[in-house]
Amino acid sequence: MKSKHENITSREQIFAQRPATRVWEEQSSEENPYLASALRCHGYDLHELMEKRSFIDVLFLLFRGELPTGDQSQILEKLMIGLINPGPRHPATRAAMHAGVGKTNPAHILPISLSIMGGAHQGAGCIEPAMRFFRQAAKRDPKIVCCELLQREKRPTEGDWHPVPGFGSRFGGIDEMPRKLADQLSRLPGAGKALLWGCSFSEILRPYEIGWQFPGVAAAVLADIGFHPRAGAGLFQYFQAPGLLAHGLEMVNKPLTALPFPSDENYFIEVDSDGH
Amino acid sequence: MNKDLMGKVSFFQVLILNAIGRLVEKPLADWFEAMHVGLSWPDARIWCNQIGALGGTMRSSVVAATVAGILAADSRAYGQGTILEGFAFIERVFKGARKGKSVKYIVAEECARHGGKPKFMGYSRPIAKGDERLAEFFNIQKRLGFPVGEHLSLALEIEKVLLEDFDEAMNFNGYICAFLADQGLTAQEAYQVCAVLVTSGVTACYVDTFERPPESFLPMRCEDIDYQGPPPRPVPLPDER
């Protein structure tokens, strides 16, 4: 007799016969059905887009399904410039640089560093929660949200404090660079409710030594121009990718000695108080 | 240098040591090895494995394709990505049972969290009802000398209720999370040990397509895509800024 765990039955689910997409249409060539004779993005011919629109416009179209207004395109472009490089001290960039100097296959530099950039601290992993936070919080008075937050959350005794996604301290202080980015973006005509609310919120948080973080600024702008929270992580990785790649490629022709390698005197194995 | 370990303990004992900081006895390492074997079934229809196959047909490196498949299994639906939620489930219901809640009540409570459906982590499964790997796992567990512990016992009681009320059984996740909770691992520790859980099946699917002509794995004609977007339309000029 079969045991209950050997009794397997199919769910007989009906799977799609073909993948469906609203994003991209490939018109088949008459000679070879595996080759395309025209490419259209949400109905627009790709070559006509090349003639008439900017890269940012087409990027927006790809994800949102419609071309952006001038204001939307402008704020997205400025955001992407502001986020183009997380800088050589960022862990994701350092991963790219280590891949580069380590003579890793150059095709791996971007996936390696983007995997690290997917983290939930200062990375893509906090964009979705931040976008969801803005959806709720931006309907309310930032002072009240701050009061509730301070009552609810406790500052940790060690490390930085991130009481809400997108805001917090960094190395014990307020990072002024994301604040400057947010301020500059907030003066654009495309600035929306989440970004403006976040700027007010950040000022209210200032006495507590917490403020904007880069993922927070990205989340606010993406929410304002209509991106779904689930899109946030990948877009943030994409926005930071040029800097990651540039730093990784800068290292590929340098010797292994081009990056620090801690000396044996500075390398030791920690032992717990119980001897392990 | 690993000279204290090389040749003295199994690879899986080292894998677990590096993942959780404790050297476990060989039977538990053997159990983990069997688990990795169970998740290394090279069926290219499975999502992570298909990514390996796509890497082979694109002539990606075997490392890139295998890592890509492993990343894919860090999923909410299958693979090692489900371990944290599976542990959270069994730990939550175990606390409830300790407080005196009946298994029927626990199942009703968990169904209520999921819109009245028994679709919580560790039970039910996409594509098939039941999990053919479990019978073998119970044999392996017995052979290695592991009794059915408190968490697994509760997991089986939950399964009994689900089978009676919904015709849904425990799946691999439900079994491994309950078993590992009985062995004293935390959710994060179990997740860490299982970081590369699906690796071998992905590599096998990569190799299969790598050894065939490029782009010959399930090639698609233009019409094999069901385009559902807007019809062709003229591109407007941008707004004046």
Side-chain angles (χ1 to χ4, degrees):
Chain A
M1 193 182 130
K2 277 187 174 181
S3 84
K4 65 183 174 185
H5 291 128
E6 289 171 288
N7 186 23
I8 313 299
T9 53
S10 169
R11 290 187 187 279
E12 294 182 357
Q13 289 164 302
I14 298 168
F15 287 85
Q17 291 294 308
R18 298 186 294 164
T21 178
R22 296 181 58 78
V23 175
W24 202 256
E25 184 181 18
E26 296 179 339
Q27 189 177 304
S28 179
S29 82
E30 286 182 13
E31 298 78 28
N32 186 335
Y34 291 92
L35 298 177
S37 60
L39 304 173
R40 281 186 282 272
C41 180
H42 291 282
Y44 296 120
D45 179 80
L46 191 63
H47 294 277
E48 198 180 344
L49 285 166
M50 287 165 63
E51 291 285 327
K52 294 181 176 170
R53 304 300 294 230
S54 70
F55 174 78
I56 300 295
D57 286 356
V58 180
L59 180 78
F60 184 97
L61 168 71
L62 190 63
F63 289 93
R64 293 293 321 283
E66 292 297 339
L67 286 159
T69 64
D71 291 345
Q72 287 171 324
S73 182
Q74 184 190 39
I75 198 164
L76 179 59
E77 183 179 6
K78 304 293 180 200
L79 173 71
M80 287 179 65
I81 294 171
L83 295 176
I84 201 163
N85 187 3
R89 294 179 302 123
H90 192 288
T93 317
R94 285 158 60 188
M97 292 163 78
H98 275 84
V101 86
K103 309 294 168 268
T104 301
N105 179 343
H108 298 343
I109 291 174
L110 207 45
I112 287 168
S113 52
L114 287 177
S115 295
I116 305 305
M117 185 52 84
H121 174 78
Q122 299 292 334
C126 54
I127 305 285
E128 182 178 340
M131 288 175 78
R132 295 194 189 282
F133 168 72
F134 283 120
R135 273 187 177 179
Q136 296 303 317
K139 296 172 190 161
R140 305 178 61 214
D141 184 336
K143 284 182 189 157
I144 294 171
V145 174
C146 177
C147 282
E148 288 173 357
L149 186 73
L150 295 170
Q151 281 174 357
R152 194 178 65 232
E153 303 288 333
K154 280 210 165 15
R155 187 184 288 271
T157 51
E158 196 179 355
D160 283 317
W161 191 28
H162 304 105
V164 282
F167 296 86
S169 61
R170 194 166 187 201
F171 296 108
I174 293 175
D175 189 348
E176 291 298 336
M177 299 317 294
R179 183 195 59 77
K180 281 187 181 177
L181 174 64
D183 283 351
Q184 193 172 345
L185 293 171
S186 71
R187 292 193 289 274
L188 297 174
K193 198 174 171 183
L195 181 65
L196 297 173
W197 185 92
C199 288
S200 305
F201 188 56
S202 141
E203 285 310 305
I204 293 163
L205 294 174
R206 182 170 278 279
Y208 308 98
E209 294 181 337
I210 47 180
W212 275 114
Q213 310 226 290
F214 280 114
V217 181
V221 174
L222 289 173
D224 283 336
I225 57 178
F227 285 90
H228 190 276
R230 281 264 160 87
L235 286 168
F236 187 73
Q237 286 172 305
Y238 174 71
F239 296 163
Q240 305 252 272
L244 298 174
L245 185 58
H247 283 290
L249 291 177
E250 190 183 25
M251 288 289 154
V252 295
N253 290 324
K254 292 189 176 175
L256 285 170
T257 51
L259 284 182
F261 190 90
S263 64
D264 286 351
E265 298 83 68
N266 291 311
Y267 175 78
F268 57 93
I269 296 171
E270 279 187 338
V271 179
D272 295 342
S273 54
D274 60 359
H276 290 104
Chain B
M1 199 172 151
N2 272 351
K3 65 179 180 184
D4 295 340
L5 300 170
M6 284 167 69
K8 298 183 181 74
V9 297
S10 73
F11 172 71
F12 265 79
Q13 282 177 287
V14 176
L15 185 148
I16 298 162
L17 171 66
N18 285 333
I20 70 174
R22 298 192 295 278
L23 184 63
V24 300
E25 296 293 328
K26 190 147 185 307
L28 185 57
D30 288 349
W31 182 92
F32 266 112
E33 185 171 348
M35 175 197 180
H36 280 65
V37 172
L39 269 284
S40 294
W41 182 244
D43 179 340
R45 295 172 303 173
I46 299 168
W47 305 274
C48 55
N49 291 345
Q50 188 156 143
I51 288 166
L54 292 166
T57 211
M58 269 297 287
R59 300 295 186 266
S60 303
S61 85
V62 63
V63 180
T66 304
V67 169
I70 293 168
L71 267 181
D74 198 9
S75 150
R76 289 179 290 122
Y78 75 105
Q80 70 271 26
T82 62
I83 290 175
L84 293 175
E85 195 182 333
F87 251 81
F89 169 79
I90 195 66
E91 286 174 345
R92 184 171 64 243
V93 299
F94 189 74
K95 276 184 194 162
R98 276 269 165 98
K99 285 179 185 164
K101 289 181 185 173
S102 72
V103 173
K104 276 261 184 200
Y105 183 83
I106 286 170
V107 169
E109 209 174 42
E110 289 297 322
C111 286
R113 294 166 73 110
H114 295 86
K117 292 180 181 168
K119 294 200 168 175
F120 32 88
M121 193 56 79
Y123 297 86
S124 80
R125 188 184 176 202
I127 302 182
K129 282 188 181 186
D131 195 323
E132 67 284 357
R133 296 164 293 191
L134 292 196
E136 188 52 33
F137 250 102
F138 279 103
N139 291 335
I140 292 166
Q141 177 182 337
K142 197 174 170 185
R143 202 162 62 235
L144 292 170
F146 292 106
V148 173
E150 290 179 300
H151 292 85
L152 186 51
S153 178
L154 175 63
L156 287 165
E157 285 183 57
I158 291 168
E159 182 185 43
K160 196 175 167 195
V161 172
L162 285 177
L163 280 167
E164 282 166 9
D165 294 353
F166 299 98
D167 189 28
E168 290 290 0
M170 189 194 299
N171 65 28
F172 193 74
N173 172 285
Y175 168 75
I176 63 161
C177 293
F179 175 83
L180 291 174
D182 283 333
Q183 305 314 312
L185 269 76
T186 65
Q188 184 63 28
E189 285 176 341
Y191 184 45
Q192 286 162 192
V193 175
C194 296
V196 299
L197 188 57
V198 299
T199 180
S200 180
V202 179
T203 303
C205 293
Y206 169 89
V207 171
D208 190 33
T209 56
F210 183 75
E211 290 173 348
R212 299 167 199 262
E215 281 201 274
S216 64
F217 175 68
L218 301 179
M220 299 180 88
R221 295 165 300 184
C222 294
E223 65 183 39
D224 290 331
I225 298 291
D226 178 13
Y227 176 68
Q228 297 181 346
R233 48 183 173 165
V235 178
L237 288 167
D239 301 344
E240 290 296 320
R241 284 189 192 163

